[in-house]
Amino acid sequence: MKGYKRFIPAWLLYICNSVCVIALMGCDSLGTSSQQKQSTAIDEVVIVELNQSIIEYGQQCANLVAEVPAFDCNDGVDVPITVNGQVPQYQEYTQNMVCDRPALLPYGEDTFGQCTPYSKVLDLSNETTQISAFCRRKYLRPDDSPLYDEVDVILHSTTSGDTCWFHAEPPNDTSAGFDASRVPPPNEVTPPPGHVDAMTFWWKPLDTVSKNCGGCHDADPFMYSPYIGQVWQHVPVDPFGPYNNAIGDFALWSTSSSIETEGNTCITCHRIGNLGSCVNVDLETGQTFPGNIQVASGMALPVKGGDELANQYPLSTWMPINNFHSQAFWQQVYSPSVSALLSCCDNPQQLQCQLTPITGG
């Protein structure tokens, strides 16, 4: 019977040497795919060097999940920026203005800020493969400009859970942006004449690993916020499916676990992870911030870049989607579940807390 290839980060092979022969049989954090785990024999060990090129990682993901097609960011749907429910005219946007649903993403001090308009999302999914692209603006430009400041792609298999992350920013992080009229497939070796190649456009996987996207996206690949929720119908969802980020260099990310408590209202619609959902950490300084559970429950106000509406119920609470409940109802139905989850974040050893590792299928 034909077996399978086990992918091992070279550093781990160097450190543990023969110990890894034993570890192979039980570890899920060695850059393996869940598809590979379905086999029962090991025929060949393939050493995957950390610091993969984007071509190597892109091809690995194409083999495991699917190939990301080339796309034009301007084919995406605008994520609206509104003030008091109204979309401003182009000339009315100002640097560091406040709005109803700020992006809640990192913005440098010299950028336009949390309410920068004309970022776009694209859903490039098919039946079993989910591909979500986010083309982000950090500076004010006309809606139809081909220039963007960041492009992110999440590639996810709903059957195996294998998930890949691709990230791009302009060289030297300049305000000039970069042309995203043809975003190249991450595994494309030779682009059409006149277009940027994948090696130039995309960050190296290990650099993207440093962003620690999996910390916030600790329950499933696609994360809701009031900002992205405005175009949620254009974002794929897989709230309870298998989920595995440990592919190539991304095996360095921590594996999250889902938190469950009996009768918890929140987990009837989606999982709750135990990483960024519990606490957010600045990886450069070590400073900690409220986790996503607190942010999504209106317990970490004021909202950065938020106006009066953003800091008031119901926009101050993220769930349920399109929340139409009264605040009194929300407090009665959802608040005890939030408290139970936060208690498990503080002390997961309590009897009422059940933590289950989130892995591939």
Side-chain angles (χ1 to χ4, degrees):
M1 181 179 69
K2 185 176 181 180
Y4 65 98
K5 296 179 180 180
R6 177 67 80 169
F7 293 88
I8 308 173
W11 64 270
L12 184 57
L13 189 68
Y14 174 78
I15 291 174
C16 54
N17 201 355
S18 60
V19 176
C20 281
V21 175
I22 299 173
L24 280 173
M25 307 307 294
C27 289
D28 284 333
S29 58
L30 301 177
T32 62
S33 79
S34 49
Q35 289 175 326
Q36 293 157 349
K37 288 187 294 187
Q38 294 174 358
S39 300
T40 56
I42 300 174
D43 283 343
E44 182 180 357
V45 171
V46 177
I47 301 172
V48 177
E49 295 282 353
L50 275 182
N51 207 8
Q52 291 174 290
S53 72
I54 187 62
I55 298 295
E56 292 169 334
Y57 179 63
Q59 189 58 51
Q60 186 178 5
C61 292
N63 294 340
L64 291 172
V65 185
E67 187 167 296
V68 176
F71 63 90
D72 180 349
C73 276
N74 277 351
D75 287 339
V77 176
D78 278 359
V79 183
I81 293 294
T82 61
V83 177
N84 293 323
Q86 302 297 317
V87 178
Q89 298 296 314
Y90 178 85
Q91 62 274 14
E92 294 176 318
Y93 289 107
T94 59
Q95 187 175 22
N96 294 322
M97 63 184 284
V98 294
C99 58
D100 302 339
R101 298 173 179 83
L104 301 181
L105 296 169
Y107 285 85
E109 292 183 359
D110 65 330
T111 66
F112 208 70
Q114 294 286 339
C115 302
T116 307
Y118 309 131
S119 293
K120 294 179 172 61
V121 297
L122 296 90
D123 185 359
L124 307 171
S125 306
N126 57 42
E127 290 184 358
T128 59
T129 301
Q130 296 180 322
I131 307 175
S132 180
F134 179 45
C135 301
R136 184 179 172 198
R137 312 254 198 206
K138 299 179 184 177
Y139 297 89
L140 181 64
R141 300 189 186 90
D143 193 8
D144 60 355
S145 167
L147 301 179
Y148 287 81
D149 304 295
E150 182 177 318
V151 175
D152 302 283
V153 168
I154 302 174
L155 170 67
H156 173 68
S157 167
T158 57
T159 55
S160 69
D162 290 335
T163 304
C164 295
W165 303 77
F166 304 100
H167 176 86
E169 292 182 28
N172 303 317
D173 197 23
T174 66
S175 60
F178 58 5
D179 188 337
S181 60
R182 184 187 184 275
V183 176
N187 64 331
E188 184 179 75
V189 176
T190 305
H195 293 282
V196 67
D197 61 83
M199 291 283 282
T200 302
F201 186 86
W202 294 105
W203 277 22
K204 294 181 67 174
L206 200 55
D207 293 332
T208 303
V209 167
S210 70
K211 290 285 188 178
N212 196 32
C213 310
C216 270
H217 297 245
D218 58 353
D220 64 69
F222 310 105
M223 186 176 170
Y224 181 91
S225 73
Y227 170 75
I228 205 73
Q230 298 174 97
V231 290
W232 200 234
Q233 69 273 28
H234 298 286
V235 178
V237 294
D238 190 17
F240 294 109
Y243 180 33
N244 168 49
N245 290 318
I247 297 171
D249 291 329
F250 290 78
L252 290 171
W253 281 355
S254 299
T255 299
S256 62
S257 294
S258 63
I259 305 173
E260 299 178 25
T261 63
E262 186 175 357
N264 195 290
T265 307
C266 302
I267 62 173
T268 59
C269 293
H270 54 82
R271 289 186 295 235
I272 295 287
N274 69 332
L275 301 178
S277 294
C278 287
V279 62
N280 282 303
V281 181
D282 186 321
L283 296 181
E284 293 185 0
T285 66
Q287 186 177 1
T288 59
F289 299 91
N292 299 332
I293 297 174
Q294 291 173 289
V295 174
S297 304
M299 301 170 65
L301 301 178
V303 177
K304 189 173 185 178
D307 59 13
E308 188 173 350
L309 278 180
N311 286 284
Q312 290 180 350
Y313 186 89
L315 284 186
S316 59
T317 54
W318 298 8
M319 291 287 163
I321 293 175
N322 299 322
N323 182 11
F324 53 85
H325 298 304
S326 69
Q327 190 167 10
F329 181 90
W330 196 96
Q331 289 294 338
Q332 181 177 358
V333 173
Y334 295 99
S335 188
S337 294
V338 169
S339 297
L341 293 170
L342 290 175
S343 178
C344 291
C345 286
D346 291 338
N347 181 12
Q349 304 303 318
Q350 298 175 84
L351 288 177
Q352 67 268 29
C353 304
Q354 180 179 347
L355 270 69
T356 305
I358 301 173
T359 62

